[in-house]
Structures are given as structure tokens and as C-alpha cells.
Amino acid sequence: MGKTFIEKVAQRLRIIPNLNRRDAEGANGPLRAYPDPNEWHDHVELDANEWPKMVEKRYSLVPTTCFNCESACGLLAYVDKDSGQVSKFEGNPHHPGSRGRNCAKGPATINQINDTERILHPMRRVGPRGEGGWERISWDEALDEISTKIRDSLKTGAKDRVVYHVGRPGHEGYTNRILKAWGVDGHNSHTNICSAGARTGYALWHRHDRPSPDHANAKVILLTSSHLETGHYFNPHAQRILEGMMDGAKLIVIDPRLSNTAAMADHWLPTWPGSESALFLSWASMILERGLFDRDFIENWVNWEEWLEADHPGEPREFDRFIELLREEYAQYTPEFAAKECRIPVEQVIEVGEIVANSGSKLATHVWRAAAIGNLGGWQVSRTLHLLNVLTGSVGTEGGTSPNSWSKYKPDLFDIPPDPDGWNELHFPPEYTLSHYEMSHILPHLIKDGRGAMDVYFTRVFNPVWTYPDGFSWIEMLQNEESVGCHVALTPTWNETAFFADYVLPMGHASERHDVNSYATSSGKWVAFRQPVLREYARREGKEVEFTHEVNPGEVWEEDEFWNELSWRIDDGTMGIREHFMSPYREGERITIDEYYQYMFERIPGLPEAAEAEGTDPLGYMRKNGAFLIEEATYNKHEEDGWPTPSGKQEFYSNSMVEFGYPEHSIPHYRVMSHVHPDNLQGEDEYCLLPNFRLPQHIHSRSANAKWLAEIAHRNPLWVHPTDATKLGVGEGDLLKVETEIGWFIDKVWVTEGIKPGIIGCSHHIGRWRRKQDSGNRYMTNEVEIEDMGDGKKRMRTVTGVRPWMSDDPDTNRVWWRDGGVHQNITHAVQPDPISGAHCWLQKVKISRPVEGEKYGDVEVDTNKSFEYYKRWNEMAKEKEVHPRGERRPLWMKRPLPPRKEHWFIRE
Ligand code: SF4
């Protein structure tokens, strides 16, 4: 891959070494960043611990990918040839997305694999669920018992009682294939607390539901996110934003909080949460008024005629008339109106609007989390943001914003079972007709409401008791064996949800498992291979390894092999499941993991040729290099393929919105007032709690067992603007009580100008806990007591903060921090948006000083109140429920693991 301009400059200035120098000989060669892959099995470098003695160490460098966020950056595991263990992780320079770089969470993978508290053996519950009693069992016992329960459920004919609930998939289609083989509509995800709001806005335009901004080539980079560049595509995007800026791009960040990205911006617009659509529409109006729109793109690729036909039937179907009518339609969105809604100066609206309006086809935009997932009507934020791309003609262009699916490789699988023969109404209840993903955040309420139950429930990279709003309702659901017959937690480490499982099965970290990854982190398309590094090291050393657990620590399995083995055991020979697990290469025999990936890699365009050039096969190429660039750039694909919408165009006008009962939203507008709009806050004591931002070092519950990350960040104080601190009469470190609709928590104050007045910020990535009887994650967890006070009321109090402890790792006894933060998420009410289905994270809160007896870290919640509150929000969807032609949802829209077409219709 050619070097970028930034790399060339950085290389000349010696900020980075010359990557072309491959002439080093052992540890005495010149300094260089990385050895050539041909030298990776015999890499020599000096042992830093032996300095000043020059002691050489020999390594085998094995590529894999990081699993600490969605970006799947390349990692190189340094396997020490003396110990046969991984010594450290660095970046993989041959990974096209990350190009050798990582954020702090990548190298911290070494902490996770060496965590002294990780789970090493299968565990089965002893005593009542959730009380903390466990016994070690064999994998055979676990597999036999769980497969029997699944078989029993499947044999009833139910298609919705075996469920796999995933936080972060980290692979491409593996478990969907498994669920299809079982015949269940059993996929659930975390997306409705994450990106479903933004996805809905994009899907309305062009079915593709995520943007892929080409930051590196942009003229203007416009970000609307609470943690965009500290979370999603963090490192790959951050490096490209910097490249764009060094080439002269302007960075605009819209966020009520001064994030790390906002701090680097040319323009920071601290808008009031939920007002962003007003801002974007005012800029759209400026573009139209100034004639700066891309006539060619809009005329040819937007369904403007459908709008004229539906809403202006008496008007001529002429493009110029359309533009005139559009100007009139959006004339209401003046800069003054936007400034009032956003609570920012009108001069800033105009100044930044001019930059956006003049960006032409090089406007790179992104919205993730934050506004789109924070607010009632958050989906209209991405819809109006994309309108700016449409008007400027920057959709799919170099330097513009493309659909992410253009840059995402979809693998060819060796066997595709039929689509599920059923529809799971616990995941897609009929009243959420446009919900883009599963209504996972209201699952406990749907079950409490008598809408169904589960026989076997898998949670995997998923910790809703802690991560989700209203965690006590999750505990109630998990503890009720009639709601959840059996709960199996697949996890490398203990977490708050695993405490309420029947089986806890240890799964591998990033370097202990197989996955294939492909993400739209740039304008190109790449595929990467997450591989168990000790298995590859053993292969290089000429040792036979049949299963990954043979080389993993303890009895840690990888999930690919787990699902295959479980599926095999479910089928008693009569269920047709085993036929989906047969080798495509060896007649009548079970498929192996190597064969699974061999089949896939043989079909990646260009890979067989690249492999041949290196004298290997496609699997060998991926084992050796870890990643492959399929396409350098993926611009303007619509010119060949069109847009996958009913009109075949970008849908400015959505007939689906009209048909499904929302005619007021037929075109992008600002017609839903957020639940935290200032008009909805009662008086001076009510604030907007902004809880949905991420710290760069943490990622929900996965990073807790990484000691380096925990040392850097372990508290989540309340961000309070000085004017609010004065009003509340508090200073740094004072305690405040934050009261939500269903409970309250007590946290410490951090006075900062980095938050908009009227908004209280608090990261939801901290505040982990364990009870006296629980294990694990002591770098990040407070020990707490949970008290059931009756009538649905629960109380959690901190017994002790983080403390050092003795273990084989001396660092555990060097832990100096004591404050593990506060679990605020558990006090949040669920707030499902009636259109996108997304949880609206922002909370209306009352702020006061704690009264006597209330202490830091205290939490109280009333789950009866939370159920009643859920019903009020649920009513909004029910009131609007319509099913044109009997369709549960628009047939053309995507759905995870789509069932057979006949199930997309409501049965009378
Ligand atoms: S950005 Fe994500 S994938 Fe990349 S190193 Fe950081 S945590 Fe890992």
C-alpha cells in the first residue's frame, strides 16, 4: 500500500521510521518500525529488561486483530520463543484499516490474557440463581446439559425460545449461520442502545444504515457524536481525521461536551441535545438559498418527483420548481431559529454554515451514539445530517460520505441454512413497525408484560445488568426461572450479568479465537483475520493442533468451535442440523475451523492471486499477514448499482413513513421535540443528564480486567459547568444526588467548562461492581451490597472501593486507586423511541444535595416505577401502530437475521 502524504512528511521529519528499510540483521541492525512479514517467525530484538546489557530475545510475530472495540485494528502478538507465551502486542503495519497503529486498548490485550482473575473453566450454578454459588464442571457436562435443553425447546416447535443475545459480534455471520441451522429467530443484539437511532435515519434515505466518511480526503469534516473518535472506529478514524486536517480540512464538532475530538476542532458547537436537526436544516436552507446544491446529483439520484406527486400534485414535475418548493419548505429553519433551539450564538450558526455550504462534494459527516441515540426523535438527526450530504452532492464521493456497506466485505460461507421459520415478537414487537433493530432494552418489560419467555438464553460479550438502563429489571428477569429457563453466559471474565447465569463458559480473548473482520474504517475495503496466536505459533513450530482450546490457557474455548460442537450435540440425528456442519472438502466428515476459513478466503476477490505471489494459499496468506486489502477505494458504487430503495434513488420523500402512520415525517424535518428539550424540563432544578459518552480507555465491561486501562481511568464524576455549580452551591468533589424517573444515584462533582450549562455529564463506562460472593475484575469493581426493600424497590451501597490484593501478578498489590465510580445506568428509565425503537439515553434529572445517611455510590431504584414508565413510552408506539397490507414492517428495510418472507406479515 502506498504511503500517505502525512506518512511521507512524518517519515522525512523522522517522526516515524522509514518503513521501507527491510535490511536489518537481528538486533544489531538499524532502527526500524517493523520487520518484514517474511521475518516474522524469527524476529530478534534486545530485551529492554536487561539494559544496559545487550541481550537478544527471539520472537515469532503472529498477526491477529484487536477485540476491544468494533474497529478490529491489526495486532502483532510477540510470542517469546523461550517461554512460548505472548510477551506483548503491537500494531500490525499490514492491516489496511489501522496501518500499524492502535489506541491504548489494543496493547492492553496483554493485560486481558494475563488477568489473574479470568475464568479458566466451565462453571455451573449451585443454589438459587444469582446467589453466587458455583461449581467447576467439565466441558462435556456443560455441552451435554445445554444441548439437551436446546433440543427439548426446538422439539416443541418453538422458533423464539432459544436466544443468542450479543453485545459485540466481532465476526461476519458466524452465529447467524448457527441460529439458522437451529431454525430459530433467536438473534438479539445491543444495537437499540447504541446505533439504531442513527441507523433508522440513514435507512430511510438509502437502506444502507451506516455512514462511512472519507475523512482523509475531505474538505470539511462534520462530526455529531459524543464519543465518535473515542469509540467507534476510534484509531482508524482518528488517524484519517488528522490526515485530512493536515491537508487543510476544517473539523467541526457538535457536542454539548468538550470531547477529546471537540478539543481538536476548528469549530466546537455545544448544541442543546436534540436540537441538531434544527441546525442541519438551517444549513440546508442556506445551501438552497445560496444555490450551492449539486443539481446533477439531486436531479438524477433523489426521488424528488415522488414528493411533488404526493404533496404538490398541482405543480409541474420540474426540478427547478422542486427546488423553489424546497426552499419554501425549509425557509422556517432560519439561523435565528437554529440558534434558539441549539442555544448557541447565531453568528456561529452562520459562520459554520458557510463552511458546510461551501464544502461541495468533499463533506465527510458522521453521527454515532450521542444525539441520535440520546433523544426522542434522535433518528431525525442522521436523516437531516445526510440531507446535507445529498444537497452538496457528497454522497459516495472522494472526500465525502459513502454507505458503510460499500467498504464492508461480506464473506461467502460454505453452507447457508434456510431462513428462520418464525418471527420473534419479543425482539420485534408488532407496535414498533420501523424499529431498525431488536427491542432488546425493553426485553425484561416485555416478558414482565406476559409477552413471552425464553427456554435457553445465551449472553455473549453482553452485560446488560450493568451496561443497559434499568439493570435491576434485568436482574429480576434473570432471576425468574419462568422468564428465563436457562441462562448461559459466554465470557472471558466475570461480569454483573454472568453473576445471574446458570452456566458461565470461558471464551477466548482477541488472541485466543478465530474471527473474520471487515469494517468501513476508510474509503477502501479490507478483510482481517483474528486468529488464535498460540495455535498459529504451534503450527509454525510444526505441532499439530486440532482445537484451539489445546493451546489456550486453562480450559478456555473459542466460540467458533463451541458453536460447532454444541450444534452437533443438539441434533439427535433426526433434526437436520448436522448436515450444516459437514466439510466441503471431505465427504461425510465434520467441518474443521481451518476448513471454514479456507473456504471463505479462497473466495475473496484478489486474495488467491496475492497468496500465490507469496507462494502460499489464501489461508496461509491470512495466517501470515493477518489482513488483505480488497479494494483501494469504493467510491460512487451507485453509478453501477443504484440505491436499494423502493424508488431506486435516495429517498428524500419516504412513502414508507406515510404508509406506516407517520405522514408528518414524509421528508426530513425537525418535528419531534426531544424529551429533554428545555420546554420539557420543569423549572430550574431539572437538568439534562448526558450519560452516553465513552472514555477513550474503556469499552463497556470488556476493559475492566485490563490493569493499564483501569489505572488510567476508573472514576466517572459528574461534569458540572461553573455556573451550575454556583447555582447548586457545590465545588469540586462535593456530592450531588441525581434523581431520574425511577431512582437516584450519588456522585462527586467535577466543575468544568467542558460541559454546556444546564447539562450534567457522566460517563457510563465506569461504576462496575461485584458483591461479596462474586469474583473478578477487582481493578475496576467496587464491592457493593444489594438490598431488596420490597415493592420493587432496590438499594445498592458501596461497601469498599477498589483495593489491592495478592496474586501471582505483583501489580495487583500495587493498585493505588480506591474510587471505582458509580453505577448510574441502573437508575436510568428505558425510553424506547416509537419510530426507531432506540433507547433514548438522555435523562431528565433533578439535582440536589444528599441528605444525611446518603453516601457516595448509593443507588436506589423502583422497578415497579420503571415498568409503569416503560408503559407510557410503549403507548406512543401502540397509538401509531398500522400495518399496511399486513406488513409488520417495510419489506424493503433490513432486519437482522431476516426470517422467511411469509413471517413479515401479521397473521389475522
Ligand atoms: S481502536 Fe479499537 S480495535 Fe483499534 S486498537 Fe483501539 S480498541 Fe482496539
Side-chain angles (χ1 to χ4, degrees):
M1 197 172 61
K3 282 194 282 299
T4 63
F5 171 75
I6 302 294
E7 282 171 335
K8 285 180 194 156
V9 172
Q11 202 165 283
R12 267 205 306 276
L13 297 175
R14 299 187 181 220
I15 296 169
I16 61 170
N18 187 338
L19 294 174
N20 291 336
R21 291 170 68 170
R22 308 283 188 211
D23 52 354
E25 286 280 330
N28 294 320
L31 288 177
R32 57 185 181 169
Y34 291 98
D36 187 88
N38 291 322
E39 302 166 20
W40 280 1
H41 188 47
D42 194 16
H43 172 63
V44 184
E45 63 182 37
L46 296 177
D47 185 350
N49 291 326
E50 295 290 339
W51 179 262
K53 281 190 278 176
M54 306 278 273
V55 177
E56 290 191 345
K57 285 207 78 107
R58 304 195 94 77
Y59 295 97
S60 182
L61 310 191
V62 183
T64 189
T65 63
C66 179
F67 198 15
N68 279 334
C69 88
E70 191 192 353
S71 309
C73 295
L75 292 177
L76 267 190
Y78 281 59
V79 182
D80 182 330
K81 287 193 159 184
D82 291 332
S83 67
Q85 296 300 312
V86 181
S87 296
K88 62 175 177 177
F89 291 93
E90 295 200 352
N92 176 2
H94 293 275
H95 187 297
S98 55
R99 303 181 293 191
R101 300 161 207 169
N102 296 111
C103 78
K105 302 188 287 291
T109 303
I110 191 73
N111 296 161
Q112 295 168 313
I113 65 172
N114 292 332
D115 172 24
T116 56
E117 299 191 290
R118 64 181 294 183
I119 307 162
L120 293 173
H121 310 281
M123 308 294 281
R124 181 173 56 202
R125 160 171 75 91
V126 177
R129 194 186 286 166
E131 298 254 309
W134 297 96
E135 63 180 348
R136 181 175 159 180
I137 58 170
S138 69
W139 271 101
D140 254 341
E141 284 175 280
L143 285 158
D144 276 344
E145 290 173 19
I146 296 165
S147 60
T148 301
K149 289 176 199 295
I150 295 173
R151 185 187 316 118
D152 290 348
S153 178
L154 297 183
K155 289 221 163 178
T156 67
K159 306 292 180 192
D160 55 0
R161 291 181 68 97
V162 176
V163 170
Y164 164 73
H165 205 153
V166 61
R168 171 67 54 215
H171 59 71
E172 292 301 319
Y174 198 96
T175 39
N176 275 10
R177 206 194 75 82
I178 301 288
L179 294 168
K180 282 163 85 160
W182 298 356
V184 293
D185 185 17
H187 179 278
N188 208 340
S189 69
H190 79 293
T191 308
N192 257 343
I193 63 147
C194 180
S195 57
R199 285 176 190 265
T200 303
Y202 286 111
L204 287 168
W205 273 106
H206 53 197
R207 191 171 185 268
H208 304 290
D209 60 1
R210 293 185 67 155
S212 177
D214 186 16
H215 294 313
N217 298 302
K219 185 174 164 191
V220 177
I221 299 169
L222 172 56
L223 305 177
T224 312
S225 175
S226 67
H227 73 196
L228 187 57
E229 307 319 335
T230 55
H232 277 278
Y233 301 162
F234 171 17
N235 154 55
H237 269 183
Q239 51 181 274
R240 289 174 174 85
I241 288 171
L242 288 174
E243 281 175 24
M245 290 177 79
M246 289 181 74
D247 270 350
K250 291 287 175 218
L251 175 63
I252 301 163
V253 174
I254 295 170
D255 193 334
R257 185 184 68 96
L258 186 68
S259 64
N260 289 0
T261 319
M264 300 288 287
D266 296 288
H267 298 272
W268 171 41
L269 287 78
T271 49
W272 188 269
S275 65
E276 298 81 3
S277 302
L279 185 65
F280 298 150
L281 287 163
S282 77
W283 291 346
S285 185
M286 282 170 72
I287 293 168
L288 291 164
E289 286 301 325
R290 288 160 173 69
L292 292 168
F293 55 87
D294 184 328
R295 181 186 180 108
D296 185 55
F297 181 79
I298 302 169
E299 191 167 5
N300 292 307
W301 290 110
V302 176
N303 72 340
W304 54 274
E305 285 162 300
E306 285 190 38
W307 181 52
L308 291 185
E309 193 175 316
D311 287 1
H312 299 280
E315 296 285 351
R317 307 282 159 77
E318 288 169 4
F319 184 75
D320 289 330
R321 184 63 189 135
F322 160 69
I323 291 292
E324 278 172 24
L325 289 166
L326 194 57
R327 272 197 197 111
E328 287 168 24
E329 184 84 24
Y330 287 156
Q332 58 188 295
Y333 299 114
T334 61
E336 290 73 19
F337 174 78
K340 178 173 154 289
E341 286 298 291
C342 299
R343 297 185 158 195
I344 58 174
V346 67
E347 294 78 13
Q348 194 178 28
V349 174
I350 296 168
E351 183 190 7
V352 181
E354 293 286 356
I355 296 169
V356 172
N358 285 289
S359 57
S361 64
K362 288 179 173 279
L363 173 64
T365 65
H366 205 182
V367 51
W368 224 236
R369 304 295 301 265
I373 195 71
N375 298 282
L376 180 66
W379 53 272
Q380 65 189 6
V381 176
S382 52
R383 196 182 189 199
T384 51
L385 179 63
H386 187 73
L387 174 66
L388 297 175
N389 287 111
V390 170
L391 291 177
T392 53
S394 53
V395 182
T397 53
E398 181 174 359
T401 309
S402 296
N404 88 318
S405 31
W406 288 1
S407 290
K408 194 168 163 63
Y409 154 74
K410 284 271 174 220
D412 287 323
L413 303 179
F414 77 102
D415 168 273
I416 303 174
D419 292 337
D421 190 14
W423 185 282
N424 193 329
E425 292 202 352
L426 279 181
H427 297 175
F428 287 96
E431 66 268 35
Y432 292 97
T433 51
L434 294 163
S435 144
H436 205 54
Y437 268 77
E438 303 94 343
M439 298 299 297
S440 68
H441 54 299
I442 59 171
L443 182 65
H445 295 302
L446 292 168
I447 288 182
K448 193 169 182 173
D449 215 7
R451 297 221 210 169
M454 296 179 283
D455 293 331
V456 181
Y457 181 54
F458 289 95
T459 51
R460 183 243 162 182
V461 195
F462 186 58
N463 182 13
V465 168
W466 180 72
T467 311
Y468 270 44
D470 200 6
F472 279 120
S473 291
W474 281 86
I475 293 177
E476 283 183 353
M477 178 190 85
L478 292 172
Q479 284 193 302
N480 183 344
E481 292 185 34
E482 286 182 8
S483 303
V484 180
C486 173
H487 173 204
V488 185
L490 308 179
T491 176
T493 54
W494 286 101
N495 62 51
E496 291 83 345
T497 301
F499 299 154
F500 298 90
D502 299 304
Y503 298 89
V504 175
L505 304 182
M507 294 293 160
H509 284 296
S511 58
E512 299 164 344
R513 51 185 293 123
H514 286 95
D515 289 308
V516 68
N517 316 120
S518 180
Y519 300 114
T521 54
S522 64
S523 54
K525 186 192 282 189
W526 52 262
V527 58
F529 192 31
R530 184 176 290 135
Q531 63 179 334
V533 300
L534 294 184
R535 181 170 178 160
E536 170 58 7
Y537 174 64
R539 199 190 59 77
R540 290 179 185 182
E541 292 284 297
K543 294 182 193 134
E544 276 295 312
V545 176
E546 194 180 354
F547 296 106
T548 299
H549 56 78
E550 294 166 26
V551 295
N552 276 348
E555 293 182 280
V556 171
W557 276 42
E558 69 161 293
E559 283 157 40
D560 285 6
E561 290 175 345
F562 167 73
W563 292 120
N564 285 6
E565 183 60 35
L566 185 68
S567 302
W568 196 265
R569 294 192 192 208
I570 290 168
D571 193 348
D572 58 7
T574 66
M575 301 169 75
I577 295 175
R578 288 184 184 176
E579 69 193 49
H580 300 296
F581 295 85
M582 304 309 290
S583 167
Y585 300 101
R586 293 170 297 118
E587 181 80 27
E589 295 194 52
R590 283 169 72 174
I591 189 165
T592 65
I593 291 305
D594 283 348
E595 288 173 336
Y596 178 89
Y597 289 102
Q598 177 188 346
Y599 184 95
M600 185 187 293
F601 293 156
E602 282 171 352
R603 285 154 183 79
I604 292 177
L607 180 55
E609 294 77 12
E612 198 181 341
E614 293 198 10
T616 182
D617 57 21
L619 179 60
Y621 181 99
M622 294 301 279
R623 283 171 168 161
K624 178 185 163 196
N625 297 292
F628 178 68
L629 183 65
I630 300 171
E631 278 181 73
E632 191 79 47
T634 58
Y635 304 124
N636 295 317
K637 295 238 178 230
H638 62 286
E639 289 175 0
E640 286 163 33
D641 308 333
W643 299 101
T645 55
S647 64
K649 297 192 171 182
Q650 292 275 312
E651 299 224 329
F652 165 72
Y653 173 81
S654 170
N655 191 44
S656 295
M657 272 290 195
V658 178
E659 288 191 332
F660 280 82
Y662 298 98
E664 69 277 24
H665 298 306
S666 65
I667 65 168
H669 260 299
Y670 175 61
R671 288 200 165 135
V672 182
M673 189 190 279
S674 170
H675 62 298
V676 293
H677 188 281
D679 290 356
N680 287 332
L681 298 181
Q682 319 271 318
E684 288 283 291
D685 291 339
E686 219 166 49
Y687 288 76
C688 166
L689 174 67
L690 181 84
N692 53 335
F693 61 90
R694 187 179 273 177
L695 302 174
Q697 301 83 7
H698 284 296
I699 188 124
H700 297 297
S701 37
R702 269 180 288 165
S703 48
N705 63 327
K707 60 189 178 187
W708 299 340
L709 304 177
E711 181 168 15
I712 299 169
H714 40 262
R715 302 184 307 136
N716 59 343
L718 298 169
W719 297 40
V720 181
H721 191 272
T723 55
D724 290 326
T726 304
K727 201 167 87 185
L728 292 160
V730 291
E732 193 82 12
D734 286 346
L735 296 181
L736 280 178
K737 180 174 180 177
V738 182
E739 217 172 319
T740 67
E741 299 279 354
I742 63 168
W744 51 265
F745 66 95
I746 294 183
D747 199 355
K748 289 176 188 161
V749 168
W750 178 41
V751 181
T752 171
E753 291 188 343
I755 192 84
K756 192 175 181 68
I759 315 280
I760 303 290
C762 188
S763 166
H764 65 171
H765 276 68
I766 308 279
R768 302 292 308 277
W769 52 263
R770 64 183 200 286
R771 302 159 304 172
K772 193 179 179 50
Q773 65 268 43
D774 303 322
S775 316
N777 296 331
R778 278 185 277 178
Y779 292 113
M780 282 289 273
T781 50
N782 297 315
E783 186 184 319
V784 301
E785 258 172 17
I786 295 178
E787 186 188 345
D788 189 335
M789 301 189 294
D791 277 345
K793 292 198 180 65
K794 323 276 180 188
R795 176 186 288 160
M796 183 188 293
R797 308 201 85 169
T798 302
V799 179
T800 61
V802 180
R803 288 185 299 184
W805 73 100
M806 299 299 288
S807 76
D808 292 342
D809 178 355
D811 280 349
T812 63
N813 198 34
R814 295 178 183 134
V815 169
W816 53 264
W817 57 98
R818 299 290 175 266
D819 186 350
V822 183
H823 187 200
Q824 60 155 326
N825 310 358
I826 204 164
T827 68
H828 295 179
V830 293
Q831 302 180 140
D833 185 283
I835 292 179
S836 69
H839 171 55
C840 305
W841 269 101
L842 303 179
Q843 303 278 315
K844 281 198 289 181
V845 292
K846 289 200 170 62
I847 306 284
S848 60
R849 302 296 295 268
V851 297
E852 199 172 331
E854 293 175 345
K855 291 191 311 202
Y856 176 58
D858 282 1
V859 164
E860 258 189 49
V861 172
D862 183 336
T863 56
N864 290 340
K865 253 192 196 172
S866 77
F867 185 60
E868 290 311 312
Y869 188 76
Y870 143 76
K871 282 195 159 170
R872 280 179 13 224
W873 279 67
N874 179 243
E875 206 50 46
M876 284 195 267
K878 281 188 166 167
E879 278 168 7
K880 300 286 273 187
E881 182 180 349
V882 293
H883 298 279
R885 300 168 294 279
E887 294 168 17
R888 290 178 179 275
R889 55 193 274 115
L891 301 180
W892 63 275
M893 278 182 123
K894 289 200 256 187
R895 209 213 91 162
L897 192 63
R900 295 177 199 177
K901 234 17 178 205
E902 63 262 33
H903 300 294
W904 287 60
F905 296 87
I906 295 267
R907 293 213 177 102
E908 295 303 326

